[in-house]
Amino acid sequence: MAAYYTAAALPALILLSFFSHHALSDDATTPPPSTPVSPSTACNATTDPSFCRSVLPPRGKGDLYTYGRFSVSQSLAGARRFAALVDRYLARHRHLSPSAVGALRDCQLMAELNVDFLSAAGATIGATDTLLDPQADDVHTLLSAIVTNQQTCFDGLQAAWYGRGGLDAPIANGTKLYSLSLALFTRAWVPTAKAPHSHKAGGSGGGHHGHRKKKPRGGRRGLFDVTDDEMVRRMAMEGPESTVAVNSVVTVDQSGAGNFTTVGDAVAAAPKNLDGTGGYHVIYVLAGVYDENVEVPKHNKYIMMVGDGVGQTVITGNRSVVDGWTTFRSATFAVVGQGFVAMNMTFRNTAGPAKHQAVAFRSGADLSALYGCSFEAYQDTLYTHSLRQFYRGCDVYGTVDYVFGNAAVVFQDCAFYSRLPMRGQSNTVTAQGRSDPNQNTGTSIQACALLAAPELAANADFDTPTYLGRPWKNFSRTVVMESYVGALVDPAGWMPWSGDFALATLYYAEYNNTGPGADTSRRVGWPGYHVLGDGTDAGNFTVTSMVVGDNWLPKTGVPFTSGLIS
């Protein structure tokens, strides 16, 4: 049976152990999903009707639920075939370059996850025509993630393996099939479970909205600091009742006085497949610089990792694309296991700007939360890869695309510090990777501060334009709201990726920001850019709407605000 502890009580427990979403709006004329329709009619609502008609049975009539289940079943069969294909390629790895092998191993993991996700999605929708939140969001999230995983596989192969050994066609067909499953699911289940918020077509002019000035934070105290009355009061005001269920506790201490001397060993020994009902497995990492690359795999669920503070407990590495790693595998710390929580730690990649893509932290962990952490690198610092994530009171340092990926992610009370890049480079805070219009993904930056890091601020004569983001993929979606935007941000606000790529299909928005860089009167005039005039649309990107956080964040002990701040 799990023991329950208040956040303030956990340090004593640790020391004792030591010493002993959002689909597009439906057309009002669309018939109910239970209405029998022809496959051709069902396909009209998808992103690729021609491909859809080649997949669905040509004769007879079913409803959208039937077609959705059939498509997911076909997707699962296709995912299994692709996983087997990748395994065969890897079995011949002696004939492949190291970079190709690395990219194939990424594809292998993505394929395994897709089989898992499609199996879970199929089981859920096979049981009922009616899904209520959070079930509907769970399946929507899984089907969004399989599209992201397939894209990650393709991106890695494209960068590392010229010709890609004939895998382009299987990947492309798989992507179409997964996109079809996602489209049919959103048409059948999402409207009945949760009416999506519409995105009004806001203009790109107008001034900024005033509210309290968001200032950079000073020193941060930890959630588990028993003397921190201020933090306890903040949690009482801002967050849920902070009780955390603990299953077990181990310590990591480089001196040898704990259970483990490395973080990797502690993770490797962690219990498998916890379901969260019995509490977290807590790994307390004492102060020290841990020079290691760590991965929390898919079977290590509900791990809570607690450090002694930012700059005190540091996990560091220096992998980079220039040195032969895929972007995906360059991460100093990577987590896939569901329910991961980390607090009071620094994750760092020291490869430097000349090594280009070099990730400090990568998360593809659903229902993951990070609190009071620091992420430090240059290009591609924080890879919010997929699924649902939340960051509170964190610092992120970087230069080019330093928060990127395709998760549904909300940042609250975080500081984004743009650093000094290589000469000729521009800083871009975000590069969001939504590639399908039905994915419930996007990056929400709420009540945060966008600032110049000390080395950038000290080089006023260094010409470094800084932008809120640029579109990595066609349907890139990022919102900056209720935040302090420093003077370092260029008046245009946002930077194109290449020519007019994605400018009409992206969704970028700003709402109620302050600071010298928040004036929207000179922002880009792209069709996909919006200045939100009220909180109706901004509400789509809160903790409640974006990551259904009210359902799972309370048990993490991490404070959060459900809706808009003001």
Side-chain angles (χ1 to χ4, degrees):
M1 179 178 292
Y4 287 82
Y5 299 89
T6 64
L10 268 172
L13 169 72
I14 292 170
L15 290 174
L16 178 63
S17 172
F18 171 59
F19 290 112
S20 70
H21 4 255
H22 305 271
L24 299 177
S25 296
D26 277 336
D27 188 328
T29 62
T30 301
S34 58
T35 302
V37 295
S38 68
S40 181
T41 300
C43 288
N44 289 338
T46 65
T47 53
D48 190 339
S50 177
F51 177 78
C52 175
R53 294 184 187 105
S54 73
V55 172
L56 296 185
R59 293 190 176 89
K61 281 192 176 183
D63 57 24
L64 287 179
Y65 298 121
T66 302
Y67 295 137
R69 293 186 184 102
F70 179 82
S71 178
V72 168
S73 175
Q74 293 296 103
S75 290
L76 177 57
R80 287 174 171 152
R81 288 193 298 271
F82 185 71
L85 178 62
V86 172
D87 288 345
R88 290 197 296 273
Y89 270 76
L90 281 170
R92 305 198 303 264
H93 70 273
R94 293 178 184 176
H95 307 291
L96 300 174
S97 68
S99 60
V101 171
L104 280 169
R105 285 179 177 155
D106 292 350
C107 290
Q108 187 178 49
L109 173 60
M110 297 299 101
E112 290 174 0
L113 291 173
N114 282 354
V115 170
D116 292 345
F117 294 170
L118 284 161
S119 297
T124 301
I125 65 174
T128 180
D129 288 350
T130 303
L131 297 180
L132 301 176
D133 279 338
Q135 264 193 324
D137 198 75
D138 290 345
V139 178
H140 199 176
T141 296
L142 293 175
L143 296 180
S144 295
I146 64 170
V147 176
T148 300
N149 290 343
Q150 193 81 341
Q151 185 69 55
T152 300
C153 169
F154 176 76
D155 287 346
L157 288 172
Q158 187 177 43
W161 188 7
Y162 179 78
R164 294 174 288 285
L167 285 173
D168 279 2
I171 292 174
N173 288 334
T175 299
K176 289 180 179 180
L177 191 52
Y178 302 157
S179 180
L180 173 59
S181 294
L182 179 59
L184 290 173
F185 173 81
T186 58
R187 300 298 292 185
W189 278 274
V190 171
T192 62
K194 179 180 179 182
H197 298 282
S198 63
H199 290 156
K200 298 177 182 177
S204 59
H208 69 277
H209 304 280
H211 81 305
R212 62 181 177 82
K213 183 175 181 179
K214 178 70 182 177
K215 295 183 178 180
R217 300 181 315 283
R220 183 187 299 107
R221 296 172 182 161
L223 176 63
F224 291 159
D225 187 342
V226 293
T227 65
D228 193 353
D229 293 334
E230 178 187 359
M231 182 60 71
V232 172
R233 287 195 301 271
R234 281 186 61 194
M235 291 180 64
M237 290 186 296
E238 299 183 274
E241 179 68 19
S242 181
T243 56
V244 178
V246 174
N247 179 286
S248 50
V249 182
V250 298
T251 58
V252 181
D253 185 352
Q254 290 176 320
S255 73
N259 301 104
F260 303 94
T261 57
T262 70
V263 178
D265 285 347
V267 170
K272 305 291 192 296
N273 294 314
L274 296 176
D275 63 7
T277 60
Y280 288 95
H281 175 68
V282 177
I283 300 175
Y284 174 39
V285 186
L286 275 73
V289 177
Y290 297 81
D291 191 354
E292 52 180 310
N293 290 86
V294 180
E295 180 164 350
V296 181
K298 66 179 184 178
H299 55 258
N300 287 132
K301 302 177 181 179
Y302 293 95
I303 286 179
M304 178 178 286
M305 193 169 291
V306 183
D308 275 333
V310 167
Q312 301 301 308
T313 298
V314 180
I315 302 179
T316 187
N318 63 0
R319 291 178 177 175
S320 70
V321 167
V322 169
D323 287 335
W325 298 92
T326 63
T327 301
F328 190 82
R329 295 287 180 181
S330 71
T332 298
F333 193 102
V335 57
V336 181
Q338 178 174 306
F340 179 79
V341 178
M343 302 179 182
N344 305 338
M345 304 178 70
T346 293
F347 302 94
R348 183 180 292 159
N349 190 313
T350 61
K355 292 298 181 74
H356 298 287
Q357 296 93 334
V359 176
F361 185 90
R362 165 173 57 82
S363 177
D366 198 21
L367 312 179
S368 57
L370 290 98
Y371 180 54
C373 292
S374 183
F375 308 92
E376 303 171 5
Y378 289 86
Q379 182 170 347
D380 289 3
T381 301
L382 177 55
Y383 195 173
T384 56
H385 179 262
S386 56
L387 303 167
R388 292 165 292 194
Q389 307 178 26
F390 179 68
Y391 296 75
R392 173 80 176 203
C394 295
D395 295 334
V396 190
Y397 294 82
T399 55
V400 178
D401 306 337
Y402 64 93
V403 178
F404 75 111
N406 195 26
V409 56
V410 177
F411 294 88
Q412 278 185 356
D413 192 33
C414 295
F416 299 86
Y417 291 102
S418 294
R419 308 179 79 171
L420 193 66
M422 292 190 294
R423 188 170 292 277
Q425 286 185 326
S426 298
N427 284 334
T428 42
V429 179
T430 66
Q432 206 282 327
R434 184 167 171 258
S435 61
D436 189 291
N438 289 302
Q439 287 177 307
N440 63 350
T441 55
T443 297
S444 174
I445 296 175
Q446 181 187 23
C448 295
L450 293 94
L451 308 162
E455 66 265 32
L456 180 63
N459 284 268
D461 59 339
F462 196 91
D463 184 18
T464 306
T466 297
Y467 300 91
L468 299 173
R470 60 177 181 156
W472 183 25
K473 302 297 180 184
N474 259 313
F475 299 94
S476 182
R477 181 157 63 178
T478 301
V479 176
V480 180
M481 59 187 188
E482 303 181 309
S483 294
Y484 177 85
V485 183
L488 75 161
V489 173
D490 189 271
W494 307 82
M495 179 183 178
W497 185 270
S498 178
D500 62 357
F501 170 76
L503 302 188
T505 51
L506 60 78
Y507 184 91
Y508 286 171
E510 297 178 60
Y511 171 71
N512 209 20
N513 297 315
T514 62
D519 184 356
T520 59
S521 63
R522 296 168 60 190
R523 288 294 196 252
V524 294
W526 306 338
Y529 171 72
H530 310 277
V531 176
L532 304 182
D534 59 45
T536 303
D537 287 336
N540 290 336
F541 303 97
T542 60
V543 163
T544 293
S545 295
M546 196 77 193
V547 296
V548 293
D550 301 297
N551 292 309
W552 59 274
L553 277 171
K555 72 179 179 182
T556 69
V558 175
F560 67 95
T561 300
S562 295
L564 296 172
I565 304 298
S566 57

